[in-house]
Amino acid sequence: MVPFDDARVRRAVYSAVDRDKLLESIWAGRGQLIGSMVPPTDPWYEDLTSLNPYDPELSKQLLDEAGLADGFTFTLQTPNYDPHPAVAEFLKSELAKVGITVDIKVITADEWYSVVFKERAFEATLQEHVNDRDVVWYGNPDFYWGFDNADVQRLVGEAEQAATPEEQAAKLKEANTIIATEAASNWLYLYPQIVVASSEVSGFPVNGLNSQFYVYNITKA
């Protein structure tokens, strides 16, 4: 997935995007900015949003260091359901400011699964991830995003064999810092969620995802 094999290019894309503005545009300021795949509810969470700050000048500098001072063009495959197409247009506008051209290709969920996930026939894509412990997939170079880092693979493996929850959390924090520093992905925001539950209900996962609904049209009375 050249030029995204170069961490400087991934970081350049990251720093070209005003994520505060994106969150305001798409979710009216609801939700949360994140700097890695790990959400605040996980015990191995750390706030890593400062590792890849919004800084267009830094973005241009990184592109220059990567030999792409004149920018480049890539195709962004985005699912056709909200809010992905709107996010894609926002990204296209932001990246154009640092000389990066984005060709948006809107695809169905089925196409995403077959072309992106299974065949890995893509340059870049948008997708939300809501599975438990998604961070461990960065330790598997055969996963669809193809991140390949020996230190991350070692740390994830050690975390899986950890003797205590504290040891596991420490290993995954270390792995996640490497993942975020190298901008293995560009994490835009954490979806806003409202969870409704009864205090008398028990036996469900702490971070389990059940019924979901958008909150962009909810206002405080």
Side-chain angles (χ1 to χ4, degrees):
M1 290 181 282
V2 177
F4 295 116
D5 290 341
D6 190 328
R8 293 171 298 186
V9 177
R10 300 194 299 267
R11 291 171 55 210
V13 171
Y14 218 158
S15 288
V17 178
D18 187 342
R19 286 170 282 157
D20 283 302
K21 184 178 177 182
L22 171 62
L23 198 62
E24 183 64 35
S25 299
I26 302 299
W27 294 107
R30 300 180 179 92
Q32 180 176 345
L33 297 185
I34 52 175
S36 74
M37 183 63 87
V38 180
T41 48
D42 282 348
W44 39 87
Y45 170 77
E46 288 182 299
D47 184 358
L48 301 176
T49 51
S50 64
L51 287 179
N52 294 287
Y54 171 57
D55 187 340
E57 291 306 312
L58 173 60
S59 178
K60 293 176 183 177
Q61 176 186 328
L62 289 166
L63 288 173
D64 186 39
E65 292 175 5
L68 295 170
D70 295 329
F72 65 98
T73 299
F74 72 92
T75 299
L76 176 64
Q77 298 196 47
T78 175
N80 60 359
Y81 50 88
D82 291 333
H84 296 79
V87 173
E89 291 293 344
F90 183 94
L91 296 177
K92 179 176 182 176
S93 175
E94 290 287 277
L95 293 176
K97 298 173 186 176
V98 297
I100 300 174
T101 301
V102 180
D103 292 331
I104 298 173
K105 182 178 181 180
V106 179
I107 58 178
T108 66
D110 288 343
E111 287 174 319
W112 188 92
Y113 179 74
S114 61
V115 175
V116 176
F117 186 78
K118 293 186 69 176
E119 299 174 18
R120 293 171 60 173
F122 70 102
E123 290 182 285
T125 188
L126 282 174
Q127 188 55 272
E128 76 273 20
H129 279 261
V130 294
N131 301 309
D132 293 336
R133 293 160 43 85
D134 267 330
V135 67
V136 303
W137 291 108
Y138 288 95
N140 180 0
D142 294 324
F143 198 61
Y144 82 91
W145 50 52
F147 184 66
D148 191 354
N149 182 289
D151 288 331
V152 170
Q153 291 161 28
R154 173 182 57 80
L155 288 164
V156 169
E158 291 174 355
E160 297 292 87
Q161 301 298 320
T164 66
E166 292 77 17
E167 182 185 347
Q168 181 184 66
K171 293 290 185 181
L172 289 179
K173 280 184 179 181
E174 189 176 350
N176 193 46
T177 299
I178 297 172
I179 295 164
T181 300
E182 294 199 2
S185 300
N186 284 190
W187 302 277
L188 300 175
Y189 52 72
L190 189 67
Y191 269 50
Q193 295 186 21
I194 295 176
V195 178
V196 181
S198 167
S199 61
E200 298 178 356
V201 175
S202 62
F204 55 89
V206 174
N207 298 322
L209 297 174
N210 296 294
S211 298
Q212 299 184 43
F213 52 91
Y214 291 119
V215 298
Y216 59 84
N217 60 346
I218 297 176
T219 57
K220 187 175 181 180

